[in-house]
Amino acid sequence: MRFWPLIIILIFAAYFAFQSKKHPQLRYNAWSDRILHPLDTRLRYQIAEVDPRFGMSKQQVIQLSQEAIQIWHSGTQKQLFVYDEQAQLKIKLIYDVRQDNYNAFKQTQQELDHEQNSNQRISNNLDASKSSLEQMQQSLRQEQIQLRAEADYLNQQRMSWSRIENEQGENRQRIEAQYHVLKEKSQLLQRNIDYYNQMNVQYNQQVSRHNSNIDRYNWNILQAKQRFPPREFHKGVFMGDQIQIYQFDAQDDLRLTLAHELGHALGLGHHADPEALMYPVLGEQDLQNFKLKPADQSLLYARR
């Protein structure tokens, strides 16, 4: 009879070893959970810590985590996770320098985007101004040509009639009146040319300022690249008994980050498909309406 306890222990150990092989996620459930729920193969987890600097409550994170596990449940038609306040696997939102750096990166990116949009609007306005000035210049040239032609004609007429008429002659007076009108047109044309030149000077000044802004923008881009060199912005890590999330952009981003790290808790590695949940970088996925990809499902089925 004294061997019965040992036999029972061996039976439980063999059962748990078989169960862990068939359902790898159970390795992260507490022994007490597995004894109390011997037929429950769901991975139990809890939200243990939420740094208030993230600006989210624990209940909000719990809700997002349940939406995250629903991605797995909908994509596999299996219940793989369950929330349990006593679970051994703890999810913690840790705020540290990585989130600070990410916030600085996002702020710099937003400032650069705003600057780029502003430069683009100015560029569009300058293009419109250039087109308007070119049209004005073409119109002034046509007026100049027309006035020269009229002046040449009147000069010929005046020379012709001056031979046969005195200063009081009817034709001479008519020509002089036309010449006076032509002079007024010429003066108006000169004022328009002066206005054009003034507008052109202002345009060139605006172009010069715009080019300076472009140079400053390019310098800011260079500075940003030096400050934030290209790298993978890891958002979290699975550590066996806990998941630490230390970087995310918004709730949609956090939801997928939780789903990704819970995928690691299922025993899954990364996949090369950039649209997959288990791709090492979140970026090309549909954050708001994500559905499990065949690549993720293949990882899940291949672990068995």
Side-chain angles (χ1 to χ4, degrees):
M1 294 293 293
R2 61 183 177 178
F3 295 107
W4 278 108
L6 179 60
I7 293 174
I8 292 174
I9 291 173
L10 291 175
I11 290 174
F12 269 103
Y15 173 75
F16 287 146
F18 170 78
Q19 196 182 46
S20 296
K21 184 176 181 180
K22 188 174 182 182
H23 305 285
Q25 70 271 16
L26 291 180
R27 291 176 295 173
Y28 307 114
N29 281 352
W31 286 104
S32 57
D33 290 334
R34 298 178 67 175
I35 292 172
L36 292 174
H37 310 283
L39 301 180
D40 190 347
T41 61
R42 296 175 298 178
L43 174 59
R44 314 181 88 80
Y45 74 95
Q46 63 162 303
I47 304 299
E49 181 181 335
V50 179
D51 193 302
R53 285 174 290 181
F54 283 112
M56 299 185 65
S57 67
K58 180 178 177 179
Q59 190 56 46
Q60 285 177 303
V61 180
I62 291 174
Q63 176 61 36
L64 285 173
S65 74
Q66 292 174 341
E67 294 173 10
I69 66 175
Q70 188 58 41
I71 292 174
W72 285 103
H73 295 167
S74 298
T76 61
Q77 302 303 311
K78 297 179 182 295
Q79 297 294 312
L80 300 172
F81 304 93
V82 62
Y83 187 81
D84 183 349
E85 284 287 354
Q86 305 302 319
Q88 176 175 276
L89 177 59
K90 296 178 173 60
I91 296 178
K92 301 178 179 180
L93 270 61
I94 309 295
Y95 192 104
D96 59 18
V97 67
R98 290 167 292 195
Q99 184 67 30
D100 280 335
N101 288 339
Y102 184 70
N103 289 343
F105 166 75
K106 291 296 293 183
Q107 182 177 355
T108 299
Q109 190 177 53
Q110 290 171 359
E111 290 172 354
L112 289 173
D113 288 344
H114 177 75
E115 192 173 352
Q116 183 183 39
N117 292 335
S118 177
N119 287 337
Q120 186 59 54
R121 287 194 300 270
I122 293 174
S123 180
N124 292 339
N125 291 337
L126 287 174
D127 288 342
S129 296
K130 181 180 179 181
S131 177
S132 177
L133 286 171
E134 288 175 346
Q135 292 177 0
M136 186 184 300
Q137 184 184 50
Q138 184 178 5
S139 176
L140 291 172
R141 285 176 178 171
Q142 291 175 349
E143 287 185 43
Q144 282 180 318
I145 294 172
Q146 183 177 353
L147 284 176
R148 287 195 189 106
E150 291 181 18
D152 290 342
Y153 174 76
L154 289 176
N155 285 333
Q156 292 174 3
Q157 290 292 311
R158 185 165 61 178
M159 291 175 62
S160 174
W161 288 104
S162 66
R163 299 190 187 100
I164 59 177
E165 287 187 352
N166 57 30
E167 294 294 332
Q168 302 302 319
E170 179 182 348
N171 289 311
R172 287 283 298 274
Q173 291 179 354
R174 177 175 56 80
I175 291 172
E176 291 300 330
Q178 291 177 346
Y179 185 77
H180 180 72
V181 171
L182 182 63
K183 185 176 180 180
E184 291 180 343
K185 288 182 179 180
S186 179
Q187 291 173 344
L188 176 60
L189 174 61
Q190 186 59 51
R191 288 196 295 271
N192 289 337
I193 290 174
D194 292 341
Y195 174 74
Y196 164 80
N197 290 333
Q198 180 183 359
M199 296 297 294
N200 198 48
V201 168
Q202 292 179 3
Y203 169 77
N204 289 330
Q205 291 173 344
Q206 290 171 349
V207 169
S208 179
R209 287 195 297 269
H210 179 59
N211 288 336
S212 296
N213 290 338
I214 293 296
D215 291 340
R216 184 181 62 204
Y217 170 75
N218 290 334
W219 171 254
N220 290 338
I221 287 286
L222 180 62
Q223 291 293 100
K225 287 181 177 180
Q226 292 176 351
R227 184 181 177 188
F228 307 105
R231 65 183 178 87
E232 293 183 1
F233 282 96
H234 297 287
K235 299 173 182 292
V237 59
F238 170 65
M239 304 168 64
D241 63 341
Q242 64 179 274
I243 292 173
Q244 290 188 1
I245 306 295
Y246 46 78
Q247 180 180 301
F248 59 90
D249 187 19
Q251 291 192 15
D252 290 335
D253 185 36
L254 177 57
R255 181 189 302 108
L256 234 59
T257 300
L258 288 167
H260 176 95
E261 297 304 331
L262 286 169
H264 287 314
L266 289 174
L268 309 185
H270 287 143
H271 198 282
D273 183 355
E275 294 185 356
L277 177 62
M278 297 312 297
Y279 188 68
V281 180
L282 296 182
E284 296 190 26
Q285 298 86 349
D286 181 357
L287 296 183
Q288 294 183 338
N289 302 294
F290 183 84
K291 294 182 180 178
L292 217 59
K293 303 300 179 186
D296 302 308
Q297 295 167 335
S298 67
L299 286 174
L300 186 65
Y301 300 142
R303 70 177 186 154
R304 301 285 172 84

